Amino acid sequence: MATRRQMIDEALSLGRQELGFLSRGDVFKAEKLSKDRERILDEAMAGLDKESQTMIADRLVELKSLLDEITDAGYRLRSSLKRDLSNMKQQNRRIAGYSFGSGNMPRLARERFVSKKG
């Protein structure tokens, strides 16, 4: 039982580190820690009976609240990325409009027009 408690404590530690990486925007390190945390939790929870679960319930509740924080950080990062991509798309449209207005026509646009001179 003590080893399972230690495994859950290790998973909590990895979850806190993962949350820190997500807060800084480092999703690759957070993903690696997430896989390690998942593996450790699977090992800790394998074959655990009801009585043992009640003994470590406080740790499991703490882990659930940490997972909720990690999920919220992921959603915030996702919405930030979505907003940044939308802004980049608008900026590219604006730059393309300025380029076209200044006489820079793409090659395909020039080839669509028929020359009246012959």
Side-chain angles (χ1 to χ4, degrees):
M1 190 64 205
T3 59
R4 290 184 194 261
R5 185 176 289 267
Q6 289 173 348
M7 292 173 81
I8 292 176
D9 287 341
E10 185 179 351
L12 279 167
S13 174
L14 288 175
R16 289 184 190 106
Q17 291 174 13
E18 179 184 352
L19 182 60
F21 284 128
L22 276 178
S23 298
R24 292 189 294 272
D26 192 351
V27 293
F28 297 111
K29 288 183 181 176
E31 179 187 16
K32 182 183 178 307
L33 290 175
S34 171
K35 289 179 181 179
D36 291 342
R37 178 180 43 82
E38 179 183 14
R39 179 186 50 77
I40 290 170
L41 277 175
D42 286 343
E43 290 175 13
M45 298 304 290
L48 198 63
D49 59 350
K50 282 279 192 192
E51 184 179 319
S52 300
Q53 287 178 3
T54 56
M55 292 175 65
I56 58 171
D58 58 333
R59 296 287 189 203
L60 295 175
V61 168
E62 185 180 351
L63 185 62
K64 189 212 179 294
S65 67
L66 180 63
L67 293 178
D68 289 343
E69 288 180 48
I70 290 172
T71 302
D72 290 342
Y75 282 131
R76 283 192 305 270
L77 191 60
R78 179 182 175 265
S79 67
S80 172
L81 182 61
K82 186 176 180 180
R83 189 174 46 251
D84 290 346
L85 288 174
S86 175
N87 289 341
M88 288 296 291
K89 186 176 181 181
Q90 285 179 334
Q91 188 174 1
N92 283 339
R93 284 184 185 160
R94 191 177 319 116
I95 290 171
Y98 290 142
S99 177
F100 186 76
S102 68
N104 294 333
M105 288 180 38
R107 185 176 59 106
L108 291 175
R110 281 189 299 240
E111 292 175 359
R112 287 191 323 187
F113 298 111
V114 177
S115 175
K116 292 185 179 181
K117 293 183 179 178

